[in-house]
Amino acid sequence: MATDQQRAWNSGGRTPPGHKPSKVTPAQRDEICRRLAANESPQALAAEYGVSVHTIYRYR
C-alpha cells in the first residue's frame, strides 16, 4: 500500500479528481493505531475524530 507521501508525489500534491481529502492526518492515524493497540474502543475513537467506525477499522 502506498504511503501518503507516495500518493502526494504521484498526484503532484493534489487530491485526485473524484476523491475527498482525508479527514484524518497521518499523525492522527498513527495515534489511532496506537490507541487501538491499547484496546481503546473503535466506536469512541470514531466519535472523537469525526469519522466512521469503518474508517477506524481500516487502520488496524
Side-chain angles (χ1 to χ4, degrees):
M1 181 180 277
T3 65
D4 288 334
Q5 184 178 12
Q6 290 166 329
R7 281 190 212 99
W9 185 85
N10 290 335
S11 66
R14 300 177 309 277
T15 302
H19 289 83
K20 290 191 259 180
S22 178
K23 288 183 178 182
V24 180
T25 66
Q28 289 172 323
R29 217 173 294 154
D30 292 342
E31 176 72 11
I32 289 168
C33 290
R34 185 188 63 73
R35 291 172 68 180
L36 284 170
N39 293 321
E40 287 199 42
S41 162
Q43 291 80 6
L45 291 171
E48 181 178 333
Y49 287 96
V51 297
S52 70
V53 175
H54 174 75
T55 298
I56 300 298
Y57 280 119
R58 272 191 287 161
Y59 299 148
R60 281 192 158 180

Short mmCIF file of all heavy atoms in Angstrom, two decimals:
data_model
loop_
_atom_site.label_atom_id
_atom_site.label_comp_id
_atom_site.label_asym_id
_atom_site.label_seq_id
_atom_site.Cartn_x
_atom_site.Cartn_y
_atom_site.Cartn_z
N MET A 1 0.84 -1.17 0.00
CA MET A 1 0.00 0.00 0.00
C MET A 1 0.89 1.24 0.00
O MET A 1 1.89 1.29 0.69
CB MET A 1 -0.91 -0.04 1.23
CG MET A 1 -1.83 1.15 1.29
SD MET A 1 -2.92 1.12 2.72
CE MET A 1 -4.18 0.07 2.11
N ALA A 2 0.50 2.23 -0.76
CA ALA A 2 1.30 3.45 -0.87
C ALA A 2 1.12 4.32 0.38
O ALA A 2 0.03 4.36 0.96
CB ALA A 2 0.88 4.24 -2.10
N THR A 3 2.17 5.00 0.76
CA THR A 3 2.09 5.92 1.89
C THR A 3 1.50 7.24 1.41
O THR A 3 1.39 7.49 0.21
CB THR A 3 3.48 6.19 2.48
OG1 THR A 3 4.27 6.87 1.50
CG2 THR A 3 4.16 4.91 2.92
N ASP A 4 1.13 8.10 2.36
CA ASP A 4 0.60 9.42 1.99
C ASP A 4 1.63 10.22 1.20
O ASP A 4 1.29 10.93 0.26
CB ASP A 4 0.19 10.20 3.24
CG ASP A 4 -1.06 9.65 3.88
OD1 ASP A 4 -1.86 9.02 3.15
OD2 ASP A 4 -1.24 9.84 5.08
N GLN A 5 2.89 10.07 1.58
CA GLN A 5 3.95 10.80 0.88
C GLN A 5 4.06 10.31 -0.57
O GLN A 5 4.20 11.12 -1.48
CB GLN A 5 5.27 10.61 1.61
CG GLN A 5 6.41 11.41 1.01
CD GLN A 5 7.69 11.22 1.79
OE1 GLN A 5 7.81 10.35 2.63
NE2 GLN A 5 8.68 12.05 1.50
N GLN A 6 3.94 9.01 -0.78
CA GLN A 6 4.00 8.48 -2.14
C GLN A 6 2.79 8.93 -2.95
O GLN A 6 2.92 9.30 -4.11
CB GLN A 6 4.06 6.95 -2.11
CG GLN A 6 5.37 6.41 -1.60
CD GLN A 6 5.30 4.94 -1.25
OE1 GLN A 6 4.25 4.44 -0.85
NE2 GLN A 6 6.41 4.24 -1.41
N ARG A 7 1.62 8.92 -2.32
CA ARG A 7 0.41 9.36 -3.03
C ARG A 7 0.54 10.83 -3.42
O ARG A 7 0.16 11.22 -4.51
CB ARG A 7 -0.82 9.16 -2.15
CG ARG A 7 -1.31 7.76 -2.14
CD ARG A 7 -2.68 7.68 -1.44
NE ARG A 7 -2.77 6.41 -0.79
CZ ARG A 7 -2.55 6.17 0.48
NH1 ARG A 7 -2.26 7.14 1.31
NH2 ARG A 7 -2.63 4.96 0.97
N ALA A 8 1.06 11.66 -2.50
CA ALA A 8 1.22 13.08 -2.79
C ALA A 8 2.20 13.29 -3.95
O ALA A 8 1.96 14.12 -4.83
CB ALA A 8 1.71 13.83 -1.55
N TRP A 9 3.27 12.53 -3.94
CA TRP A 9 4.25 12.66 -5.03
C TRP A 9 3.62 12.24 -6.35
O TRP A 9 3.78 12.91 -7.36
CB TRP A 9 5.47 11.79 -4.73
CG TRP A 9 6.55 11.96 -5.74
CD1 TRP A 9 7.52 12.93 -5.75
CD2 TRP A 9 6.78 11.18 -6.91
NE1 TRP A 9 8.33 12.79 -6.83
CE2 TRP A 9 7.89 11.71 -7.58
CE3 TRP A 9 6.15 10.08 -7.46
CZ2 TRP A 9 8.39 11.19 -8.76
CZ3 TRP A 9 6.65 9.56 -8.64
CH2 TRP A 9 7.75 10.11 -9.26
N ASN A 10 2.88 11.13 -6.34
CA ASN A 10 2.27 10.63 -7.57
C ASN A 10 1.20 11.56 -8.11
O ASN A 10 0.99 11.64 -9.32
CB ASN A 10 1.66 9.24 -7.35
CG ASN A 10 2.71 8.17 -7.16
OD1 ASN A 10 3.82 8.32 -7.62
ND2 ASN A 10 2.36 7.11 -6.47
N SER A 11 0.51 12.28 -7.22
CA SER A 11 -0.56 13.16 -7.68
C SER A 11 -0.10 14.61 -7.76
O SER A 11 -0.92 15.49 -8.00
CB SER A 11 -1.75 13.06 -6.74
OG SER A 11 -1.42 13.56 -5.45
N GLY A 12 1.17 14.85 -7.57
CA GLY A 12 1.68 16.22 -7.61
C GLY A 12 1.22 17.04 -6.42
O GLY A 12 1.15 18.26 -6.48
N GLY A 13 0.85 16.36 -5.32
CA GLY A 13 0.41 17.07 -4.13
C GLY A 13 -1.07 17.41 -4.14
O GLY A 13 -1.58 18.00 -3.22
N ARG A 14 -1.77 17.05 -5.20
CA ARG A 14 -3.19 17.34 -5.32
C ARG A 14 -4.01 16.10 -5.00
O ARG A 14 -3.57 14.98 -5.23
CB ARG A 14 -3.52 17.79 -6.74
CG ARG A 14 -2.78 19.04 -7.19
CD ARG A 14 -3.11 19.40 -8.64
NE ARG A 14 -2.95 18.29 -9.56
CZ ARG A 14 -1.79 17.90 -10.11
NH1 ARG A 14 -0.69 18.52 -9.80
NH2 ARG A 14 -1.74 16.90 -10.95
N THR A 15 -5.23 16.32 -4.53
CA THR A 15 -6.15 15.21 -4.33
C THR A 15 -6.67 14.82 -5.70
O THR A 15 -7.09 15.68 -6.47
CB THR A 15 -7.32 15.64 -3.42
OG1 THR A 15 -6.78 16.08 -2.18
CG2 THR A 15 -8.29 14.50 -3.19
N PRO A 16 -6.64 13.54 -6.05
CA PRO A 16 -7.12 13.12 -7.37
C PRO A 16 -8.58 13.49 -7.58
O PRO A 16 -9.35 13.54 -6.61
CB PRO A 16 -6.96 11.60 -7.34
CG PRO A 16 -6.01 11.31 -6.24
CD PRO A 16 -6.15 12.42 -5.26
N PRO A 17 -8.98 13.76 -8.81
CA PRO A 17 -10.38 14.09 -9.08
C PRO A 17 -11.30 12.98 -8.59
O PRO A 17 -11.00 11.80 -8.71
CB PRO A 17 -10.44 14.20 -10.60
CG PRO A 17 -9.03 14.35 -11.04
CD PRO A 17 -8.17 13.72 -10.00
N GLY A 18 -12.43 13.38 -8.01
CA GLY A 18 -13.38 12.41 -7.52
C GLY A 18 -13.08 11.87 -6.14
O GLY A 18 -13.81 11.04 -5.62
N HIS A 19 -12.01 12.33 -5.50
CA HIS A 19 -11.64 11.88 -4.16
C HIS A 19 -11.71 13.05 -3.19
O HIS A 19 -11.33 14.16 -3.53
CB HIS A 19 -10.21 11.32 -4.14
CG HIS A 19 -10.08 10.02 -4.83
ND1 HIS A 19 -9.93 9.92 -6.19
CD2 HIS A 19 -10.09 8.76 -4.37
CE1 HIS A 19 -9.85 8.66 -6.53
NE2 HIS A 19 -9.95 7.92 -5.44
N LYS A 20 -12.17 12.78 -2.01
CA LYS A 20 -12.19 13.80 -0.96
C LYS A 20 -10.88 13.71 -0.18
O LYS A 20 -10.35 12.62 -0.02
CB LYS A 20 -13.33 13.55 0.01
CG LYS A 20 -14.69 13.79 -0.57
CD LYS A 20 -15.73 13.80 0.53
CE LYS A 20 -16.45 12.49 0.57
NZ LYS A 20 -17.47 12.42 1.59
N PRO A 21 -10.39 14.83 0.30
CA PRO A 21 -9.20 14.75 1.15
C PRO A 21 -9.52 14.01 2.44
O PRO A 21 -10.66 14.01 2.91
CB PRO A 21 -8.86 16.21 1.44
CG PRO A 21 -9.97 17.03 0.94
CD PRO A 21 -10.84 16.18 0.08
N SER A 22 -8.54 13.36 3.01
CA SER A 22 -8.72 12.59 4.23
C SER A 22 -9.08 13.50 5.38
O SER A 22 -8.53 14.59 5.53
CB SER A 22 -7.44 11.83 4.55
OG SER A 22 -7.59 11.12 5.74
N LYS A 23 -10.01 13.04 6.24
CA LYS A 23 -10.35 13.80 7.44
C LYS A 23 -9.32 13.59 8.54
O LYS A 23 -9.27 14.35 9.50
CB LYS A 23 -11.71 13.35 7.97
CG LYS A 23 -12.88 13.78 7.14
CD LYS A 23 -14.17 13.34 7.82
CE LYS A 23 -15.37 13.79 7.04
NZ LYS A 23 -16.62 13.39 7.73
N VAL A 24 -8.51 12.56 8.40
CA VAL A 24 -7.54 12.19 9.42
C VAL A 24 -6.13 12.38 8.86
O VAL A 24 -5.80 11.88 7.80
CB VAL A 24 -7.75 10.72 9.85
CG1 VAL A 24 -6.76 10.31 10.90
CG2 VAL A 24 -9.18 10.49 10.33
N THR A 25 -5.31 13.12 9.59
CA THR A 25 -3.94 13.36 9.15
C THR A 25 -3.09 12.12 9.43
O THR A 25 -3.48 11.26 10.23
CB THR A 25 -3.32 14.55 9.91
OG1 THR A 25 -3.20 14.20 11.28
CG2 THR A 25 -4.16 15.81 9.75
N PRO A 26 -1.93 12.01 8.80
CA PRO A 26 -1.05 10.87 9.10
C PRO A 26 -0.68 10.78 10.59
O PRO A 26 -0.60 9.68 11.14
CB PRO A 26 0.18 11.14 8.23
CG PRO A 26 -0.35 11.92 7.09
CD PRO A 26 -1.43 12.80 7.68
N ALA A 27 -0.48 11.89 11.25
CA ALA A 27 -0.16 11.88 12.68
C ALA A 27 -1.34 11.34 13.48
O ALA A 27 -1.16 10.56 14.43
CB ALA A 27 0.22 13.27 13.16
N GLN A 28 -2.56 11.75 13.11
CA GLN A 28 -3.75 11.25 13.80
C GLN A 28 -3.91 9.75 13.55
O GLN A 28 -4.31 9.02 14.45
CB GLN A 28 -4.99 11.99 13.33
CG GLN A 28 -5.06 13.43 13.83
CD GLN A 28 -6.20 14.18 13.20
OE1 GLN A 28 -6.52 14.01 12.03
NE2 GLN A 28 -6.83 15.05 13.99
N ARG A 29 -3.60 9.32 12.34
CA ARG A 29 -3.69 7.90 12.01
C ARG A 29 -2.75 7.08 12.90
O ARG A 29 -3.14 6.03 13.41
CB ARG A 29 -3.31 7.71 10.53
CG ARG A 29 -4.13 6.67 9.86
CD ARG A 29 -3.86 6.63 8.39
NE ARG A 29 -4.32 7.86 7.77
CZ ARG A 29 -3.85 8.36 6.67
NH1 ARG A 29 -2.88 7.75 6.02
NH2 ARG A 29 -4.33 9.47 6.16
N ASP A 30 -1.54 7.58 13.09
CA ASP A 30 -0.59 6.90 13.97
C ASP A 30 -1.13 6.83 15.40
O ASP A 30 -1.00 5.80 16.08
CB ASP A 30 0.77 7.60 13.96
CG ASP A 30 1.48 7.49 12.63
OD1 ASP A 30 1.12 6.60 11.82
OD2 ASP A 30 2.40 8.30 12.39
N GLU A 31 -1.73 7.93 15.85
CA GLU A 31 -2.31 7.97 17.20
C GLU A 31 -3.47 6.98 17.32
O GLU A 31 -3.59 6.27 18.32
CB GLU A 31 -2.80 9.39 17.50
CG GLU A 31 -3.49 9.56 18.83
CD GLU A 31 -2.54 9.48 20.02
OE1 GLU A 31 -1.32 9.51 19.83
OE2 GLU A 31 -3.06 9.38 21.15
N ILE A 32 -4.31 6.90 16.30
CA ILE A 32 -5.43 5.95 16.31
C ILE A 32 -4.89 4.53 16.39
O ILE A 32 -5.40 3.72 17.18
CB ILE A 32 -6.31 6.15 15.06
CG1 ILE A 32 -7.09 7.47 15.17
CG2 ILE A 32 -7.27 4.98 14.88
CD1 ILE A 32 -7.78 7.90 13.89
N CYS A 33 -3.88 4.21 15.61
CA CYS A 33 -3.29 2.86 15.64
C CYS A 33 -2.74 2.53 17.02
O CYS A 33 -2.93 1.43 17.53
CB CYS A 33 -2.20 2.73 14.59
SG CYS A 33 -2.82 2.73 12.91
N ARG A 34 -2.07 3.50 17.63
CA ARG A 34 -1.51 3.29 18.96
C ARG A 34 -2.62 3.05 19.98
O ARG A 34 -2.54 2.15 20.82
CB ARG A 34 -0.68 4.51 19.38
CG ARG A 34 0.05 4.33 20.70
CD ARG A 34 0.71 5.60 21.20
NE ARG A 34 -0.22 6.67 21.48
CZ ARG A 34 -1.04 6.70 22.55
NH1 ARG A 34 -1.05 5.73 23.42
NH2 ARG A 34 -1.85 7.73 22.74
N ARG A 35 -3.68 3.84 19.88
CA ARG A 35 -4.78 3.70 20.83
C ARG A 35 -5.57 2.41 20.60
O ARG A 35 -6.07 1.82 21.56
CB ARG A 35 -5.67 4.93 20.75
CG ARG A 35 -4.95 6.17 21.29
CD ARG A 35 -5.68 7.44 21.08
NE ARG A 35 -6.90 7.49 21.88
CZ ARG A 35 -7.73 8.54 21.86
NH1 ARG A 35 -7.45 9.60 21.11
NH2 ARG A 35 -8.82 8.51 22.59
N LEU A 36 -5.69 1.98 19.36
CA LEU A 36 -6.34 0.69 19.08
C LEU A 36 -5.52 -0.44 19.70
O LEU A 36 -6.08 -1.38 20.25
CB LEU A 36 -6.50 0.48 17.58
CG LEU A 36 -7.62 1.26 16.89
CD1 LEU A 36 -7.49 1.12 15.38
CD2 LEU A 36 -8.98 0.80 17.37
N ALA A 37 -4.20 -0.34 19.59
CA ALA A 37 -3.33 -1.36 20.17
C ALA A 37 -3.46 -1.39 21.70
O ALA A 37 -3.22 -2.43 22.32
CB ALA A 37 -1.88 -1.10 19.77
N ALA A 38 -3.84 -0.26 22.28
CA ALA A 38 -4.05 -0.18 23.73
C ALA A 38 -5.49 -0.55 24.11
O ALA A 38 -5.93 -0.27 25.22
CB ALA A 38 -3.72 1.22 24.22
N ASN A 39 -6.19 -1.15 23.16
CA ASN A 39 -7.56 -1.66 23.37
C ASN A 39 -8.60 -0.59 23.62
O ASN A 39 -9.58 -0.83 24.33
CB ASN A 39 -7.59 -2.71 24.48
CG ASN A 39 -6.84 -3.95 24.08
OD1 ASN A 39 -6.90 -4.37 22.93
ND2 ASN A 39 -6.11 -4.52 25.02
N GLU A 40 -8.43 0.61 23.05
CA GLU A 40 -9.49 1.61 23.14
C GLU A 40 -10.60 1.25 22.16
O GLU A 40 -10.36 0.59 21.14
CB GLU A 40 -8.95 3.00 22.84
CG GLU A 40 -8.10 3.54 23.97
CD GLU A 40 -7.93 5.04 23.92
OE1 GLU A 40 -8.91 5.75 23.64
OE2 GLU A 40 -6.79 5.47 24.14
N SER A 41 -11.79 1.68 22.44
CA SER A 41 -12.96 1.35 21.64
C SER A 41 -12.91 2.04 20.27
O SER A 41 -12.77 3.28 20.20
CB SER A 41 -14.22 1.80 22.38
OG SER A 41 -15.31 1.88 21.53
N PRO A 42 -13.06 1.28 19.17
CA PRO A 42 -13.12 1.90 17.85
C PRO A 42 -14.29 2.88 17.73
O PRO A 42 -14.17 3.91 17.08
CB PRO A 42 -13.30 0.72 16.90
CG PRO A 42 -12.73 -0.44 17.64
CD PRO A 42 -13.04 -0.18 19.08
N GLN A 43 -15.39 2.58 18.39
CA GLN A 43 -16.55 3.48 18.35
C GLN A 43 -16.23 4.82 19.00
O GLN A 43 -16.61 5.88 18.48
CB GLN A 43 -17.76 2.82 19.04
CG GLN A 43 -18.32 1.64 18.29
CD GLN A 43 -17.54 0.35 18.49
OE1 GLN A 43 -16.61 0.26 19.30
NE2 GLN A 43 -17.90 -0.68 17.74
N ALA A 44 -15.54 4.79 20.13
CA ALA A 44 -15.17 6.02 20.82
C ALA A 44 -14.18 6.83 19.98
O ALA A 44 -14.29 8.06 19.90
CB ALA A 44 -14.57 5.71 22.19
N LEU A 45 -13.21 6.15 19.36
CA LEU A 45 -12.24 6.85 18.52
C LEU A 45 -12.92 7.47 17.31
O LEU A 45 -12.61 8.60 16.92
CB LEU A 45 -11.14 5.88 18.07
CG LEU A 45 -10.20 5.40 19.18
CD1 LEU A 45 -9.30 4.29 18.67
CD2 LEU A 45 -9.38 6.55 19.72
N ALA A 46 -13.86 6.75 16.70
CA ALA A 46 -14.59 7.28 15.54
C ALA A 46 -15.33 8.55 15.92
O ALA A 46 -15.29 9.55 15.19
CB ALA A 46 -15.55 6.23 15.00
N ALA A 47 -15.99 8.54 17.07
CA ALA A 47 -16.72 9.72 17.52
C ALA A 47 -15.77 10.88 17.79
O ALA A 47 -16.04 12.03 17.42
CB ALA A 47 -17.52 9.39 18.77
N GLU A 48 -14.63 10.59 18.40
CA GLU A 48 -13.65 11.64 18.74
C GLU A 48 -13.07 12.29 17.49
O GLU A 48 -12.88 13.50 17.44
CB GLU A 48 -12.53 11.04 19.58
CG GLU A 48 -11.50 12.04 20.01
CD GLU A 48 -10.41 11.44 20.88
OE1 GLU A 48 -10.68 10.44 21.57
OE2 GLU A 48 -9.28 11.99 20.86
N TYR A 49 -12.76 11.49 16.47
CA TYR A 49 -12.12 12.02 15.26
C TYR A 49 -13.12 12.41 14.17
O TYR A 49 -12.72 12.89 13.11
CB TYR A 49 -11.12 11.00 14.72
CG TYR A 49 -9.87 10.92 15.57
CD1 TYR A 49 -9.73 9.96 16.56
CD2 TYR A 49 -8.83 11.83 15.41
CE1 TYR A 49 -8.60 9.89 17.35
CE2 TYR A 49 -7.69 11.79 16.20
CZ TYR A 49 -7.59 10.81 17.16
OH TYR A 49 -6.46 10.76 17.94
N GLY A 50 -14.40 12.17 14.40
CA GLY A 50 -15.43 12.58 13.43
C GLY A 50 -15.42 11.76 12.15
O GLY A 50 -15.68 12.29 11.07
N VAL A 51 -15.10 10.49 12.28
CA VAL A 51 -15.09 9.59 11.12
C VAL A 51 -15.94 8.37 11.45
O VAL A 51 -16.37 8.19 12.59
CB VAL A 51 -13.65 9.15 10.75
CG1 VAL A 51 -12.80 10.34 10.33
CG2 VAL A 51 -12.99 8.42 11.90
N SER A 52 -16.16 7.52 10.45
CA SER A 52 -16.95 6.32 10.68
C SER A 52 -16.12 5.25 11.39
O SER A 52 -14.88 5.27 11.36
CB SER A 52 -17.46 5.76 9.35
OG SER A 52 -16.40 5.22 8.61
N VAL A 53 -16.82 4.32 11.99
CA VAL A 53 -16.15 3.19 12.64
C VAL A 53 -15.39 2.39 11.58
O VAL A 53 -14.30 1.88 11.84
CB VAL A 53 -17.17 2.31 13.40
CG1 VAL A 53 -16.50 1.08 13.97
CG2 VAL A 53 -17.82 3.11 14.51
N HIS A 54 -15.96 2.30 10.38
CA HIS A 54 -15.29 1.59 9.29
C HIS A 54 -13.91 2.19 9.02
O HIS A 54 -12.94 1.46 8.80
CB HIS A 54 -16.15 1.63 8.03
CG HIS A 54 -15.49 1.04 6.84
ND1 HIS A 54 -15.33 -0.31 6.67
CD2 HIS A 54 -14.91 1.61 5.77
CE1 HIS A 54 -14.69 -0.54 5.53
NE2 HIS A 54 -14.42 0.62 4.97
N THR A 55 -13.82 3.51 9.05
CA THR A 55 -12.52 4.17 8.84
C THR A 55 -11.53 3.75 9.92
O THR A 55 -10.37 3.46 9.62
CB THR A 55 -12.70 5.70 8.84
OG1 THR A 55 -13.56 6.06 7.76
CG2 THR A 55 -11.37 6.42 8.70
N ILE A 56 -11.98 3.71 11.15
CA ILE A 56 -11.10 3.30 12.26
C ILE A 56 -10.64 1.86 12.06
O ILE A 56 -9.46 1.54 12.24
CB ILE A 56 -11.81 3.47 13.61
CG1 ILE A 56 -12.21 4.92 13.85
CG2 ILE A 56 -10.94 2.93 14.75
CD1 ILE A 56 -11.06 5.91 13.92
N TYR A 57 -11.56 0.97 11.67
CA TYR A 57 -11.20 -0.43 11.47
C TYR A 57 -10.16 -0.59 10.35
O TYR A 57 -9.36 -1.51 10.38
CB TYR A 57 -12.43 -1.28 11.17
CG TYR A 57 -13.22 -1.64 12.40
CD1 TYR A 57 -14.53 -1.25 12.55
CD2 TYR A 57 -12.63 -2.40 13.42
CE1 TYR A 57 -15.25 -1.59 13.68
CE2 TYR A 57 -13.34 -2.75 14.56
CZ TYR A 57 -14.66 -2.33 14.68
OH TYR A 57 -15.35 -2.68 15.80
N ARG A 58 -10.16 0.30 9.37
CA ARG A 58 -9.16 0.21 8.29
C ARG A 58 -7.75 0.45 8.81
O ARG A 58 -6.78 0.03 8.19
CB ARG A 58 -9.47 1.23 7.20
CG ARG A 58 -10.41 0.73 6.15
CD ARG A 58 -10.46 1.65 4.99
NE ARG A 58 -11.20 2.83 5.41
CZ ARG A 58 -11.15 4.00 4.81
NH1 ARG A 58 -10.39 4.17 3.76
NH2 ARG A 58 -11.86 5.01 5.24
N TYR A 59 -7.61 1.16 9.92
CA TYR A 59 -6.29 1.50 10.44
C TYR A 59 -5.71 0.41 11.32
O TYR A 59 -4.58 0.52 11.78
CB TYR A 59 -6.33 2.81 11.23
CG TYR A 59 -6.76 4.00 10.39
CD1 TYR A 59 -7.47 5.04 10.94
CD2 TYR A 59 -6.45 4.05 9.04
CE1 TYR A 59 -7.86 6.11 10.17
CE2 TYR A 59 -6.84 5.13 8.27
CZ TYR A 59 -7.55 6.16 8.84
OH TYR A 59 -7.93 7.22 8.10
N ARG A 60 -6.45 -0.65 11.57
CA ARG A 60 -5.97 -1.74 12.42
C ARG A 60 -4.78 -2.40 11.82
O ARG A 60 -4.57 -2.61 10.72
CB ARG A 60 -7.05 -2.77 12.66
CG ARG A 60 -8.00 -2.30 13.70
CD ARG A 60 -8.88 -3.42 14.11
NE ARG A 60 -9.37 -3.07 15.44
CZ ARG A 60 -10.18 -3.84 16.12
NH1 ARG A 60 -10.57 -4.96 15.64
NH2 ARG A 60 -10.57 -3.46 17.29
#
